[in-house]
Amino acid sequence: MTLAASLPQAGSGLGRAILIATLLAGTLDITDAVVTSLLTGRGPVRMLQTIASAILGKPALEGGLGTAALGLAIHFAIMAVMVTVFVLAAERLEPLRRQPILWGGLYGLALYGVMTWVVVPLRWPAAFGRLDALQTANQLFAHSLLVGVPIALVTAALLKATPR
């Protein structure tokens, strides 16, 4: 059985690749963030509220489960954008489909760079540059192996399986 055959049927072609890769990579990434937040004593609700604060500002930190749910929705929306960029590139560039582990890992590292040096400094300037070595290692691991590689593997499996 191939990877493509084992994935749930949810539409076809690009849309299916985007949906499944978003759900998989988004779930793996947020699971890592939840575990990390538990280990650091912040807790997952606070971590998700911090994501929501990108839109709501500081009031998100006092918003309870509602703003935590908004943070989760924002997380998956951002992941959908990350996935869509890769899927559209992979549709046009065969090496991305042919070597998904290599290109997925590299894409994950590129995502780490964008998040670390563009998104965080723009939205949370006080947090920029405050990661220690362990946090940095975890972020590199999460972006490359929990986000980039799953996105690329799902994309390669579904785009190869999709008639063009």
Side-chain angles (χ1 to χ4, degrees):
M1 176 186 274
T2 67
L3 175 61
S6 68
L7 293 172
Q9 297 298 314
S12 62
L14 297 177
R16 182 172 178 225
I18 291 167
L19 175 64
I20 293 171
T22 297
L23 293 174
L24 177 60
T27 300
L28 291 171
D29 186 46
I30 204 67
T31 299
D32 176 73
V34 166
V35 169
T36 300
S37 69
L38 288 169
L39 291 174
T40 60
R42 274 184 53 204
V45 170
R46 183 58 153 204
M47 176 268 302
L48 291 167
Q49 290 171 331
T50 301
I51 296 170
S53 75
I55 293 175
L56 301 178
K58 287 189 179 189
L61 302 176
E62 305 303 323
L65 293 178
T67 56
L70 176 62
L72 185 63
I74 292 168
H75 164 75
F76 277 98
I78 292 168
M79 187 61 65
V81 171
M82 293 174 172
V83 169
T84 299
V85 168
F86 187 88
V87 169
L88 292 176
E91 179 189 32
R92 290 161 181 80
L93 302 170
E94 186 190 353
L96 300 181
R97 297 187 312 272
R98 211 172 354 135
Q99 296 178 297
I101 294 174
L102 170 67
W103 291 107
L106 291 173
Y107 184 63
L109 293 176
L111 293 174
Y112 166 81
V114 170
M115 294 301 292
T116 301
W117 293 305
V118 178
V119 175
V120 170
L122 286 175
R123 185 55 198 108
W124 298 281
F128 182 66
R130 290 184 34 203
L131 293 180
D132 63 29
L134 187 59
Q135 291 169 320
T136 299
N138 179 67
Q139 289 295 309
L140 289 167
F141 165 79
H143 281 87
S144 61
L145 297 178
L146 301 180
V147 175
V149 170
I151 289 170
L153 287 171
V154 168
T155 300
L158 293 178
L159 292 189
K160 283 180 182 172
T162 303
R164 284 195 258 297

